[in-house]
Amino acid sequence: MTSANRPSLGVGLIGYAFMGAAHSQAWRTAPHFFDLPLRPELTALAGRNAAAVTDAAQRLGWKSTETDWRRVIERDDVGLVDVCTPGDTHAEIAIAALEAGKHVLCEKPLANTVAEAEAMADAAAKAAAQGVRSMVGFTYRRVPAIGLARKLVSDGRIGDIRHVRAQYLQDWIADPAAPMSWRLEKDKAGSGALGDIGAHIVDLTQHITGQTLTGVSGLMETFVKERPLPTETGKLGGVGGAETGAVTVDDAALFLGRFSGGALASFEATRFALGRKNAIRIEVNGSAGSLAFDFEDMNVLEFFDGGEPAESAGFRRILVTEPMHPYVGAWWPAGHGLGYEHGFTHQVVDLVTAIAAGEDPTPSFADGLQVQRVLDAVERSAANNSAFTEI
Ligand code: SOE
């Protein structure tokens, strides 16, 4: 069968800002580089402002628009709903879509509260029994170097894991004049650095190690409590005016954790690490070796093999661009490298492949709920003088 006569999968995307644009390019690109069992159609894009959503649909390649997400779910030509809205609407949209028999891809963090995430995971389990699939968008799992890190751990190359050290460092609001955005409002985002970027390093470290966090001790801070209201919005940030609004989420969240296999972990999620733009740094130390990753050098994984003679042992830089590395064979010759957007494309590939195979993709809504429980435990710990809080 040629890709043109594969069965189609109509996609309805809700939201078209930063994440909507990233998902749009993934839906457009995936079938051109990967041999997908279903042919994604960019069927409908939803947003509340008719003129803005029409403009976005033209730019991003969507065939039609809706101004009410409910209409997308009602459409017979939509088989999958992709939720790229702020967290306060994830539960309502995703549950309605699953109940209508639509597969769902939902941006991270899964929800704003554990209760919402539980309701979503319940809806996903009921839908799965009817063959309806769901996935939460922890897209960095699909960076080839992260896939290789997970493989090296599961192949035993690191041995028993003793330490996990994870940081997600950004600086886009380090300037107190940086304007308000929905990401700084608790009602819309649930939490700040903790949920937006801390959620990624919780998911990534659990994914790489194959273990889960069992307890945490946290510290959270909001350094700038009042910011200019935006007169213009950008992908992140924008332009501030004279009026101000209250920041109701954390600017930084730090926590210690214990993993189910006995490893001790430290986590740091901040939007105030001046000069660090999107530095996801993960280091794992085991009894047989160590691994280190930094997203700002995302095509590289560092590996220290503890079995090598001390005289010549040292961290080696593995350029993760060989055709046998995860996903890489579909792209460019060795050494040419991938970027941020490729993780989203790989996410579409894995989701569509699972749907066609009648399998549940990962990370599931249950995985998203487990991350939500970690975030909630960090918040409770921070509110209780960093008391160790079980998950
Ligand atoms: C903003 O902090 C953000 O866009 C996150 O929301 C994304 O999940 C992350 O990939 C990049 O930073």
Side-chain angles (χ1 to χ4, degrees):
M1 204 185 316
T2 65
S3 58
N5 48 30
R6 299 268 153 85
S8 68
L9 173 67
V11 178
L13 176 67
I14 323 290
Y16 52 83
F18 181 10
M19 280 307 111
H23 285 228
S24 296
Q25 79 75 33
W27 288 113
R28 282 194 316 265
T29 308
H32 297 293
F33 282 84
F34 291 82
D35 188 20
L36 296 184
L38 302 172
R39 191 168 34 86
E41 299 275 1
L42 280 72
T43 301
L45 180 66
R48 281 168 299 185
N49 179 318
V53 73
T54 302
D55 173 63
Q58 278 162 8
R59 243 181 325 109
L60 300 172
W62 293 85
K63 290 185 184 146
S64 67
T65 60
E66 299 287 355
T67 51
D68 184 341
W69 58 263
R70 292 170 191 83
R71 273 290 304 136
V72 175
I73 289 175
E74 283 161 15
R75 283 174 65 150
D76 292 336
D77 57 355
V78 168
L80 182 145
V81 174
D82 185 352
V83 185
C84 285
T85 53
D88 60 334
T89 51
H90 285 187
E92 189 184 8
I93 300 174
I95 293 171
L98 289 168
E99 286 176 349
K102 312 289 181 186
H103 308 295
V104 174
L105 171 59
C106 182
E107 255 307 316
K108 48 47 60 180
L110 185 61
N112 280 3
T113 64
V114 169
E116 287 169 356
E118 280 171 347
M120 294 170 81
D122 278 353
K126 286 197 189 93
Q130 308 300 316
V132 176
R133 312 291 163 195
S134 48
M135 184 197 248
V136 59
F138 284 117
T139 175
Y140 294 115
R141 281 188 179 206
R142 270 100 190 168
V143 170
I146 295 290
L148 178 61
R150 177 174 156 94
K151 179 172 186 300
L152 292 176
V153 170
S154 74
D155 287 351
R157 302 288 296 276
I158 311 301
D160 296 331
I161 298 173
R162 309 292 193 212
H163 288 292
V164 175
R165 218 163 284 113
Q167 299 175 317
Y168 197 147
L169 312 176
Q170 297 183 335
D171 73 352
W172 58 279
I173 53 168
D175 181 352
M180 282 296 295
S181 103
W182 68 264
R183 282 185 164 82
L184 308 185
E185 292 176 43
K186 191 168 178 59
D187 287 355
K188 295 211 172 63
S191 65
L194 177 66
D196 186 33
I197 54 179
H200 278 302
I201 47 176
V202 169
D203 179 69
L204 279 177
T205 53
Q206 295 189 140
H207 177 66
I208 291 170
T209 60
Q211 299 181 20
T212 49
L213 279 159
T214 58
V216 290
S217 165
L219 267 183
M220 294 167 77
E221 186 57 68
T222 306
F223 301 114
V224 176
K225 298 187 170 56
E226 193 89 12
R227 288 182 178 273
L229 294 177
T231 51
E232 269 175 49
T233 51
K235 285 211 169 69
L236 277 180
V239 179
E243 283 181 58
T244 62
V247 175
T248 46
V249 298
D250 54 290
D251 288 331
L254 278 63
F255 51 101
L256 301 177
R258 277 187 188 279
F259 271 93
S260 49
L264 298 183
S266 67
F267 293 83
E268 187 180 1
T270 178
R271 293 159 166 169
F272 276 67
L274 204 56
R276 302 293 175 209
K277 302 298 168 182
N278 204 45
I280 304 170
R281 297 161 166 196
I282 294 175
E283 185 161 310
V284 180
N285 308 127
S287 54
S290 292
L291 292 172
F293 170 79
D294 183 345
F295 187 78
E296 289 186 342
D297 194 9
M298 64 170 285
N299 290 287
V300 168
L301 181 69
E302 289 194 41
F303 173 50
F304 179 90
D305 183 346
E308 287 182 358
E311 186 186 27
S312 54
F315 270 96
R316 77 170 91 112
R317 274 170 62 87
I318 305 172
L319 193 55
V320 192
T321 60
E322 296 295 329
M324 79 288 283
H325 288 138
Y327 309 103
V328 177
W331 295 102
W332 317 118
H336 289 67
L338 302 189
Y340 175 65
E341 71 278 21
H342 291 85
F344 292 89
T345 307
H346 303 156
Q347 177 168 275
V348 159
V349 172
D350 290 344
L351 176 57
V352 169
T353 305
I355 289 172
E359 289 167 5
D360 287 321
T362 56
S364 64
F365 277 18
D367 296 327
L369 166 60
Q370 190 272 338
V371 172
Q372 205 77 42
R373 290 201 166 113
V374 176
L375 305 180
D376 182 68
V378 173
E379 287 201 88
R380 284 187 287 122
S381 165
N384 190 16
N385 291 321
S386 307
F388 188 77
T389 305
E390 286 181 8
I391 294 155

